Amino acid sequence: MMTAREIIGYMESLRNEEQRRILMRFFKTGPREYGEGDEFFGLKVPQTREVVKVAGVDFPMEEVPELLMNRWHEVRLCGFLILVAKFEKLATKRLENDSEAIKKRDEIVQMYLQYAERANNWDLVDLSVHKILGHWLLLPSNLGDRDYKIKVVDELAASPCLWKQRMSIVCSWKTSQMGDPSWCLRYAKIHLHHPHDLMHKAVGWMLREMGKRCSMDLLREFLRQHAHEMPRTMLRYAIEKMSESERKEWMAGNRRDRLHDYGLRPNQKPVPVISPFAGIPTPDFVEMILKGNDEAMFYLLHQRLNHQLRERYNAYQHQLYDDYEDVIEDFYLYLRESGRYPYQALRRIKSKNAFETWLLNTFRNYLNNRAKEENRALFMSFDEHKWHESDESFSDEQKLLVCSQLIAYALQVFYPRGRFIFLRSLLTMLNKQKALPNTEVAKALGMSDISYRVTLHHMKCNLAKFRQRLLRGESLRLDEQHQQMAQCIYGDFEHLYPTLLMYYTQTVNTLKCAENIKKLRLQHYEATGIMAHEPDLNDSTNTTIKAFWNKLNKLLIY
């Protein structure tokens, strides 16, 4: 294992005089410049990173201060990058809530803050602060809660040291990447009138990243309020990712009266209602949910975590057949309606700060399970769907038991849209009416035609799997609600249709498409004279067990 002295000696052996002169000019080390007196070996950053790799994350913590206190710029950078490597190893999803990892992360942060003044140039700050301090702001800590963390960063912002001030804003790079814009907005406002050009660039840069990662509307709202007082360098950095025409409007309209007249910018609509809530801490969102304000949480949290959720979706995209918007809508419905992960589970989360981790991990597991099911369904052998003559050897009671368990289990495990399609198929099958066109139903549900057909395919594949398990004598695991449903269907088969119609209506309301489906049914009635999914005049819904068994089997053959 290398020691600090060995690292310093090795880096000195790589000394490059020509590169050293270039770096001395680049980092402004002359008299009365911001990097005055700093000394360089002449190493490029990739060379320093190679040294960090050789030292490894097991490099002793007690040796790091010797690197941080060294006079040579590259050696100090090496010390900070070793702390970064150590912190990142302890900040993986698996170790976020691990007690030993939390303790070690806190030790790294304390050392980083203790030697913060040794990061005495912008590159030392920018390559380390967001990966250590910025990440720590959103992780569990034994040192204190969010208020304590705000106090820590406030002290950096209030310090007379330029580099500590830069740390307070650049640490928000990581928080914005993880979907929390509140840190950037807080310290951008604090440093709005800072006199130094390096801080103008840093604040503008962080605002730009916040807009790109979290919400461009939120960035525009900040500019609407403060563009008239922002230094032009700061404003120019903040609007860098906007269109050329919009950049010109902001730069030309850098006056309070012009921005007040236009709102955000010429011809732009007001910022959505979501913007005023964007700075609410995540634990407060949890409190809103626990108080029953689910609807507000859906959209606020979606906006805040959209970047992280989309990153996880992209990792599975090649295994899924639905677009991100369809998947995310199903996920939120799944959270709301599923018996396995209801929002009531939040009450069992000990730390409200762990909510984001819980949600992102749940989404990852949801995508993983969905990808596995889609892959299994698409490549399932057709042999699994062959019906054997032995089916007829079952008595009516046995068939009815299988049917009731199958329906109840399907409604328990299907995603909301699959549940809707399953019930619609059963109702159409029972009353002998012509089904509503799939393309029109898909449109009413806000789904693409291919997304609807894939969902229908999954529904049939899963039903066939459940049926085969029941016929083999397996017992499907039903929760209390669906056990009662199965008993109701089995106990009074004559009322099967009204029972299914009741659950169908509930599912439509859950999907928030009741009006669209109602309009579609009325259009169907005007065209055919039959109200879809209502009993016909011949009362054909009182089907026999044998007939229903045969119809259900035919439904599963495709």
Side-chain angles (χ1 to χ4, degrees):
M1 183 179 294
M2 295 185 72
T3 64
R5 288 182 179 275
E6 289 173 337
I7 287 177
I8 296 168
Y10 175 69
M11 295 182 76
E12 188 171 9
S13 70
L14 300 174
R15 189 173 186 138
N16 184 321
E17 284 298 324
E18 182 179 352
Q19 182 68 18
R20 176 178 174 274
R21 288 191 293 271
I22 294 173
L23 293 176
M24 296 279 280
R25 291 194 302 271
F26 184 73
F27 286 104
K28 308 294 184 183
T29 60
R32 293 182 297 279
E33 292 182 315
Y34 60 74
E36 182 179 359
D38 205 355
E39 298 185 72
F40 291 79
F41 280 143
L43 275 63
K44 295 182 179 180
V45 174
Q47 291 177 290
T48 305
R49 291 192 184 277
E50 286 298 321
V51 176
V52 173
K53 287 182 181 179
V54 173
V57 294
D58 295 326
F59 185 80
M61 280 286 288
E62 57 271 17
E63 292 278 327
V64 175
E66 187 172 345
L67 299 176
L68 299 179
M69 292 301 295
N70 195 269
R71 62 184 256 201
W72 299 103
H73 184 101
E74 294 91 340
V75 175
R76 296 196 304 279
L77 175 59
C78 181
F80 284 117
L81 292 181
I82 287 175
L83 290 180
V84 168
K86 286 178 173 292
F87 191 92
E88 289 183 330
K89 184 181 179 181
L90 297 166
T92 60
K93 289 295 181 183
R94 183 175 63 85
L95 295 176
E96 274 188 3
N97 298 295
D98 181 80
S99 58
E100 188 62 27
I102 292 174
K103 179 182 177 182
K104 291 180 179 179
R105 288 199 303 260
D106 288 345
E107 291 175 358
I108 293 172
V109 169
Q110 288 177 312
M111 178 177 287
Y112 186 82
L113 293 172
Q114 181 182 351
Y115 293 94
E117 290 187 5
R118 301 303 296 163
N120 56 351
N121 216 311
W122 58 264
D123 64 319
L124 300 177
V125 173
D126 297 354
L127 290 173
S128 62
V129 68
H130 65 292
K131 293 183 178 180
I132 297 177
L133 184 61
H135 202 170
W136 174 75
L137 295 176
L138 301 180
L139 292 172
S141 170
N142 295 330
L143 298 177
D145 57 9
R146 182 183 173 90
D147 290 338
Y148 171 80
K149 294 175 180 178
I150 290 175
K151 181 181 178 182
V152 168
V153 186
D154 280 352
E155 289 177 356
L156 291 175
S159 169
C161 174
L162 172 65
W163 308 116
K164 287 187 175 182
Q165 294 168 5
R166 187 175 175 96
M167 283 180 177
S168 68
I169 182 64
V170 177
C171 71
S172 70
W173 190 6
K174 186 67 174 182
T175 59
S176 294
Q177 285 177 344
M178 298 180 74
D180 186 347
S182 60
W183 297 92
C184 176
L185 295 174
R186 176 183 178 86
Y187 295 102
K189 192 175 296 186
I190 288 175
H191 295 305
L192 204 60
H193 303 105
H194 198 285
H196 204 290
D197 181 68
L198 279 177
M199 289 299 292
H200 299 170
K201 294 177 181 178
V203 173
W205 170 30
M206 289 302 106
L207 286 170
R208 182 189 72 209
E209 289 301 311
M210 184 276 297
K212 182 172 70 174
R213 300 288 187 175
C214 299
S215 169
M216 289 300 292
D217 286 331
L218 194 56
L219 171 59
R220 293 185 179 105
E221 172 65 10
F222 183 89
L223 296 178
R224 183 189 70 79
Q225 297 177 20
H226 302 290
H228 66 280
E229 54 184 332
M230 291 172 66
R232 290 184 68 81
T233 299
M234 186 186 296
L235 178 61
R236 188 164 56 250
Y237 270 63
I239 63 177
E240 194 173 50
K241 292 298 181 181
M242 297 180 181
S243 65
E244 183 178 359
S245 59
E246 187 175 357
R247 292 199 305 271
K248 288 180 179 179
E249 290 169 1
W250 280 114
M251 296 302 292
N254 194 332
R255 299 194 311 274
R256 177 181 290 275
D257 56 350
R258 171 79 177 271
L259 291 174
H260 178 76
D261 292 341
Y262 285 127
L264 296 181
R265 69 176 199 271
N267 303 321
Q268 184 175 336
K269 296 179 181 179
V271 176
V273 179
I274 191 172
S275 295
F277 300 99
I280 295 178
T282 299
D284 292 349
F285 275 112
V286 179
E287 294 299 332
M288 291 168 59
I289 301 164
L290 295 179
K291 290 176 182 177
N293 196 359
D294 285 356
E295 295 301 318
M297 175 273 179
F298 279 168
Y299 302 104
L300 292 171
L301 194 61
H302 185 181
Q303 180 76 6
R304 171 172 291 191
L305 298 180
N306 187 57
H307 178 69
Q308 295 101 302
L309 292 171
R310 185 176 285 277
E311 279 187 346
R312 282 158 177 75
Y313 168 81
N314 290 340
Y316 288 90
Q317 186 175 7
H318 64 287
Q319 303 175 48
L320 300 171
Y321 286 82
D322 289 350
D323 294 333
Y324 171 74
E325 288 72 18
D326 288 338
V327 169
I328 201 69
E329 182 181 341
D330 274 352
F331 173 63
Y332 283 132
L333 287 169
Y334 170 73
L335 283 180
R336 239 179 128 185
E337 299 298 324
S338 172
R340 290 170 293 175
Y341 297 102
Y343 277 125
Q344 286 75 8
L346 290 176
R347 301 185 187 278
R348 298 194 295 271
I349 296 178
K350 295 180 180 179
S351 170
K352 300 298 190 295
N353 291 311
F355 173 67
E356 286 190 21
T357 301
W358 171 81
L359 185 76
L360 295 174
N361 287 344
T362 302
F363 186 55
R364 181 197 60 205
N365 295 337
Y366 164 86
L367 291 174
N368 188 47
N369 293 336
R370 183 164 178 158
K372 287 180 179 178
E373 284 299 317
E374 293 192 3
N375 183 64
R376 193 206 65 77
L378 289 175
F379 295 99
M380 183 185 291
S381 166
F382 186 79
D383 291 340
E384 292 187 42
H385 306 289
K386 291 183 179 179
W387 314 118
H388 305 289
E389 294 181 2
S390 59
D391 289 354
E392 298 301 323
S393 64
F394 289 97
S395 66
D396 281 353
E397 289 75 12
Q398 290 172 318
K399 291 178 180 178
L400 181 56
L401 181 62
V402 169
C403 288
S404 62
Q405 295 278 328
L406 180 63
I407 293 170
Y409 189 67
L411 293 180
Q412 176 181 309
V413 301
F414 280 173
Y415 297 120
R417 283 174 171 163
R419 194 181 310 153
F420 169 86
I421 294 171
F422 173 44
L423 286 167
R424 173 176 172 264
S425 302
L426 288 179
L427 291 171
T428 303
M429 179 184 74
L430 281 171
N431 64 16
K432 298 181 179 178
Q433 294 177 6
K434 183 180 179 181
L436 297 173
N438 285 351
T439 53
E440 294 183 20
V441 174
K443 185 177 180 181
L445 292 174
M447 301 171 68
S448 64
D449 184 48
I450 182 63
S451 177
Y452 183 89
R453 285 189 280 116
V454 168
T455 305
L456 182 65
H457 178 90
H458 295 166
M459 182 268 290
K460 291 183 176 182
C461 289
N462 282 310
L463 281 173
K465 177 182 68 174
F466 302 152
R467 177 187 180 280
Q468 288 297 324
R469 289 174 58 186
L470 287 166
L471 291 179
R472 287 197 298 265
E474 294 185 28
S475 177
L476 301 181
R477 185 177 300 175
L478 293 171
D479 59 28
E480 185 176 348
Q481 174 192 350
H482 293 91
Q483 282 178 354
Q484 293 175 356
M485 184 194 304
Q487 291 170 2
C488 177
I489 295 171
Y490 180 79
D492 196 353
F493 184 72
E494 292 294 320
H495 291 85
L496 173 64
Y497 188 89
T499 301
L500 295 178
L501 187 60
M502 176 185 68
Y503 286 112
Y504 173 82
T505 304
Q506 293 176 357
T507 304
V508 170
N509 291 331
T510 299
L511 288 168
K512 301 180 182 178
C513 63
E515 288 301 317
N516 290 335
I517 295 296
K518 183 178 179 181
K519 290 177 183 178
L520 187 58
R521 292 177 67 203
L522 288 174
Q523 293 172 3
H524 181 74
Y525 177 75
E526 291 173 359
T528 64
I530 300 173
M531 180 61 78
H533 299 149
E534 292 293 341
D536 63 20
L537 297 177
N538 297 324
D539 196 27
S540 61
T541 58
N542 294 328
T543 185
T544 65
I545 293 174
K546 181 177 180 180
F548 181 66
W549 174 261
N550 292 331
K551 288 179 180 179
L552 192 59
N553 284 345
K554 289 180 181 179
L555 175 67
L556 304 184
I557 299 176
Y558 56 93

